[in-house]
Amino acid sequence: MSIEVLNESGAEVDEKGLEALARHVLDGMRVHPLAELSLLLVDEAAMTELHEKWMGEPGPTDVLAFPMDELRPGHMSGGSDEDGEVDPGLLGDVVLCPAVAERQAATAGHGREDELELLCTHGILHLLGYDHAEPEEHKEMFGLQAGLLESWQEKRGPR
């Protein structure tokens, strides 16, 4: 799996930890091992700009997901080319804002890294087509999110 982490936020973040978490989530969702994912960490000004441009909502947000290919969980590839070769696909981009995550973490009573892990998992699920607008969708997505984070925390061990 190709996972690129770009930290343009100015904040110190456990980039290797986020990469390992993303790999865990993608493996858990049975995404092709050669799929590509980008994690971008930005400051509040950049997140505000993205949030306003793409969502039409003011101010910064915690996470945005920009899907590229039509990858879905359980599908081991993005499709095949004309020669029948498997195309692993480009999953897309998850954009995180550590400053917003830090405020949310304080409110939730846990650390910023835990909040970033939650937001990263949430963003990846959005890339895979999950949503939470309707009650059944919410139940499914947040159930998956909780299970993936629990298995990650068991794998990762205590901080």
Side-chain angles (χ1 to χ4, degrees):
M1 222 163 278
S2 173
I3 301 169
E4 183 177 19
V5 180
L6 301 168
N7 187 353
E8 299 175 359
S9 70
E12 284 192 37
V13 174
D14 180 5
E15 295 164 23
K16 290 193 184 302
L18 282 176
E19 180 182 344
L21 165 71
R23 189 172 312 282
H24 175 80
V25 170
L26 294 173
D27 286 347
M29 296 304 294
R30 297 179 32 227
V31 173
H32 192 284
L34 296 179
E36 297 177 29
L37 169 68
S38 172
L39 301 176
L40 176 62
L41 295 105
V42 298
D43 62 19
E44 286 188 77
M47 185 58 100
T48 296
E49 186 177 320
L50 289 169
H51 194 217
E52 290 173 354
K53 179 177 181 176
W54 296 106
M55 302 303 289
E57 297 178 14
T61 190
D62 49 8
V63 60
L64 290 170
F66 297 98
M68 297 295 186
D69 288 341
E70 292 284 326
L71 296 183
R72 295 292 179 262
H75 290 245
M76 296 305 287
S77 73
S80 301
D81 64 16
E82 60 275 355
D83 298 325
E85 294 292 316
V86 172
D87 173 17
L90 177 61
L91 192 55
D93 303 321
V94 173
V95 184
L96 303 166
C97 186
V100 174
E102 188 155 356
R103 288 194 299 273
Q104 290 178 179
T107 300
H110 55 242
R112 184 188 68 180
E113 293 300 321
D114 289 329
E115 186 72 12
L116 285 170
E117 288 177 353
L118 182 151
L119 296 172
C120 182
T121 302
H122 189 85
I124 293 170
L125 289 174
H126 274 306
L127 292 181
L128 293 172
Y130 289 93
D131 202 356
H132 46 84
E134 301 297 325
E136 281 303 309
E137 293 173 335
H138 186 279
K139 182 179 177 183
E140 180 182 23
M141 183 174 180
F142 281 79
L144 279 170
Q145 180 177 293
L148 289 163
L149 286 168
E150 183 178 325
S151 65
W152 166 248
Q153 290 162 354
E154 288 172 6
K155 179 179 179 179
R156 179 197 72 207
R159 287 199 193 280

